[in-house]
Each structure stands twice: as C-alpha cells, then as structure tokens.
C-alpha cells in the first residue's frame, strides 16, 4: 500500500493514472499531449508508476502504451475508481480529458492492435 500511495502522491502521476483509468491503454505521446508536458517528464513519471506496479507497458512499433496493472489488488482498483470519479470534473483533470479528445492523429486510435 505504501508504494501505491507514494506513486500516486505526485500530481503528474495522478493525472496520468486518472486518464488511463478513464480511457484505457494510452501511449506516452497521448499522455504528453493531454497533460501539455514534455515527453521525457511523462516517461519518468510512468516509470515510477510501473516500478510501483500501478501500470504495465506494451511496445507496439515506436509507441509504448501504458495500462493499469491487471494484478492490482481489488482495494487499489476501488481507490482508483473512487478517486477518478471524484476528480474528473475538476481542473486539471477535466482539461486533460478534453485535450486528449482534441489530439490530432492519435496513435492510440489508429495503431492499437
């Protein structure tokens, strides 16, 4: 539990997890676009979430996709669901969702297998 909550204590990591919780598997470039942050910064935060076993990744060509770890304990999944339900309508979380919806040429749309 401590690793889980430490991983989510950072706003950028929480924003990434919130988007993935709502939209499912997302590419690093989709997260960078939605959060309006540099790709290296997003990648560092995603690595922290992966190390804490909150996320898993999958490579497809040049893209790396992230999703919630399928082995998250049920209590952790419930925490994420309740958290996202409570924050999805406030900034910056609602803005992230809008930005993602407006992203042109989303690789997550056209390149998923």
């Amino acid at each position: 539990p401590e690793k889980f909550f430490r991983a989510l204590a950072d706003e950028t990591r929480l924003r990434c997890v919130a988007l993935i919780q709502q939209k499912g598997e997302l590419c690093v470039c989709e997260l960078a676009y939605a959060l309006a942050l540099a790709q290296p910064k997003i990648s560092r935060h995603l690595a922290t979430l992966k190390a804490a076993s909150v996320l898993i990744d999958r490579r497809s060509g040049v893209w790396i996709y992230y999703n919630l770890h399928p082995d998250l304990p049920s209590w952790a999944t419930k925490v994420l669901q309740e958290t996202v339900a409570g924050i999805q309508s406030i900034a910056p979380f609602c803005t992230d969702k809008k930005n993602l919806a407006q992203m042109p040429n989303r690789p997550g749309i056209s390149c998923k297998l």
Side-chain angles (χ1 to χ4, degrees):
E2 184 178 344
K3 284 175 76 173
F4 174 81
F5 286 108
R6 280 182 193 240
L8 295 177
D10 179 86
E11 180 185 14
T12 299
R13 292 193 292 268
L14 182 58
R15 289 168 69 189
C16 289
V17 170
L19 265 182
I20 292 169
Q21 170 71 27
Q22 294 174 81
K23 298 295 185 178
E25 183 177 70
L26 292 173
C27 172
V28 174
C29 63
E30 291 172 298
L31 290 164
Y33 186 90
L35 276 64
L37 295 171
Q39 180 272 325
K41 180 176 182 167
I42 295 292
S43 291
R44 281 193 310 275
H45 284 292
L46 293 171
T48 300
L49 290 163
K50 184 180 171 192
S53 297
V54 176
L55 299 179
I56 58 168
D57 66 352
R58 169 183 76 84
R59 180 176 289 277
S60 177
V62 296
W63 292 284
I64 299 177
Y65 292 91
Y66 287 84
N67 208 345
L68 295 177
H69 199 294
D71 295 333
L72 275 176
S74 60
W75 64 264
T77 302
K78 288 177 188 172
V79 166
L80 290 177
Q81 290 169 343
E82 289 294 320
T83 300
V84 170
I87 64 175
Q88 66 182 342
S89 62
I90 59 174
F93 306 99
C94 62
T95 306
D96 296 341
K97 194 173 169 181
K98 286 180 191 175
N99 289 345
L100 181 63
Q102 296 171 355
M103 181 180 180
N105 303 316
R106 279 181 61 194
I109 301 297
S110 60
C111 296
K112 285 187 180 176
L113 300 175

